[in-house]
Amino acid sequence: QQPVQSPQAVILREGEDAVINCSSSKALYSVHWYRQKHGEAPVFLMILLKGGEQKGHDKISASFNEKKQQSSLYLTASQLSYSGTYFCGTEGTLHAGGTSYGKLTFGQGTILTVHP
Amino acid sequence: DSGVTQTPKHLITATGQRVTLRCSPRSGDLSVYWYQQSLDQGLQFLIQYYNGEERAKGNILERFSAQQFPDLHSELNLSSLELGDSALYFCASSASGSGDEQYFGPGTRLTVT
């Protein structure tokens, strides 16, 4: 099932902060965050793994609540270059505690616009 | 530049035709993923290969097939094309699979007329 992202869109002025949320109805092994600009490929931002490991860019922070199957992406001191559509991709766990081999189910996206 | 290459960049073809999209993963990556992105369906996982073997399947139509070759490049074959197949097709690669960040190629924009 597709994870649900909120809000659907955010408009900011440079320097303002934003939080984008991602919620899943199934148990998760990992949550991935991507930013996509119009007509371009999604760009990897962050991956959060069950158990607490995180990998990603230094200037991006995120959290993963394994019990609630929720993740949040924190964008602070926004810049014009932050504009784009943000997607979370979730990787579920198999019943035996294994993984789904990297298969990602993406949310519908959050459109972030940063104005000068 | 993610290091993943895809060809061609654009493809325009007629209904009923067959096309092949090609992807070369980042150096050292063993997993290749194919995604379809359309306005109404968003970003949809199609299929994953790991070191030449199919590992996971998503919402891939029977008219679509893929394979990964010994040199690890992958091809996505789309046949009996319909108007609704018009979309951006992305290939992504990762080191192994689960728990790895995926790096996306620039995509192939397919237009079926």
Side-chain angles (χ1 to χ4, degrees), chain B residues 11-31:
Chain B
L11 204 47
I12 301 174
T13 189
T15 53
Q17 295 298 305
R18 172 189 169 95
V19 297
T20 298
L21 313 184
R22 183 188 168 103
C23 166
S24 292
R26 292 188 319 157
S27 176
D29 283 357
L30 298 178
S31 271

Side-chain angles (χ1 to χ4, degrees), chain A residues 42-68:
Chain A
V43 173
F44 170 75
L45 296 176
M46 172 81 66
I47 179 174
L48 303 104
L49 297 161
K50 185 177 178 179
E53 185 181 353
Q54 294 187 4
K55 295 184 251 184
H57 294 274
D58 293 339
K59 295 185 178 180
I60 301 285
S61 65
S63 64
F64 178 23
N65 186 321
E66 295 172 33
K67 288 184 179 178
K68 293 185 177 180

Side-chain angles (χ1 to χ4, degrees), chain A residues 2 29-30 32 34 36 39-44 47 49 55 87 91 99-107, chain B residues 33 35 37 41 43-45 48 55-58 88 90 97-107 109:
Chain A
Q2 184 180 38
Y29 177 72
S30 68
H32 301 226
Y34 289 84
Q36 185 179 30
E40 299 180 7
V43 173
F44 170 75
I47 179 174
L49 297 161
K55 295 184 251 184
F87 292 97
E91 179 186 4
T99 71
S100 54
Y101 303 120
K103 169 186 172 181
L104 295 180
T105 303
F106 283 93
Chain B
Y33 310 78
Y35 294 91
Q37 186 174 38
Q41 294 289 327
L43 201 54
Q44 299 278 320
F45 170 80
Q48 179 204 3
R55 187 172 253 190
K57 222 167 184 177
L88 257 175
F90 288 107
S98 180
D100 285 333
E101 55 268 41
Q102 296 180 23
Y103 290 91
F104 281 72
R109 182 172 291 281

